[in-house]
Amino acid sequence: QVQLVESGGGLVQAGVSLRLSCAASGRSISSYVMGWFRQAPGKEREFIAAISWSGGNTYYADSVKGRFTISRDNAKNTVYLQMNSLKPEDTAVYYCAADKRTVRTGMCDYWGQGTQVTVSS
């Protein structure tokens, strides 16, 4: 079992940066593909970023490409999401996910409980 705990969310103004962390426990995530999703009120959960086991490959949704950066530190069993130039439409609950194969389908083995990010205009 892998437990994922997100942190770093909060209320910020548009244009600033925020870094989310996803700390894993239970077992090493070094063999897992990791990803970030978000869900805004009244909307479906949306894939936003994924990173391969080694961190050598990353994938982004068009909505965040160029503004968000996913990274991982396998030694710390932690994944990060650096969010720059935040916009009000980035407001959502952000979830971390892990899967042995891929996270982009949303059918992930493990999920965190989420952290709220609110961006005011």
Side-chain angles (χ1 to χ4, degrees):
Q1 288 286 339
V2 176
Q3 292 79 44
L4 302 173
V5 178
E6 303 92 338
S7 62
L11 172 62
V12 297
Q13 290 190 325
V16 304
S17 300
L18 206 58
R19 189 176 83 156
L20 305 183
S21 298
C22 172
S25 61
R27 64 174 60 173
S28 171
I29 59 169
S30 60
S31 61
Y32 286 84
V33 177
M34 301 297 297
W36 287 94
F37 292 75
R38 68 186 180 187
Q39 188 167 21
K43 295 187 177 181
E44 293 186 354
R45 187 173 57 201
E46 172 192 18
F47 162 79
I48 54 174
I51 188 166
S52 59
W53 304 327
S54 66
N57 292 297
T58 56
Y59 309 90
Y60 298 94
D62 288 343
S63 57
V64 305
K65 198 173 296 182
R67 298 189 298 123
F68 290 12
T69 302
I70 187 171
S71 62
R72 66 191 297 161
D73 185 337
N74 287 337
K76 294 183 177 180
N77 232 26
T78 301
V79 179
Y80 305 97
L81 185 68
Q82 178 68 41
M83 306 186 294
N84 298 331
S85 302
L86 282 164
K87 304 175 182 180
E89 51 262 45
D90 293 320
T91 295
V93 177
Y94 283 71
Y95 298 92
C96 175
D99 195 88
K100 281 286 191 177
R101 298 179 185 180
T102 180
V103 297
R104 286 186 285 178
T105 63
M107 304 292 287
C108 302
D109 292 333
Y110 302 105
W111 291 90
Q113 84 291 346
T115 185
Q116 176 72 46
V117 173
T118 303
V119 184
S120 64
S121 57

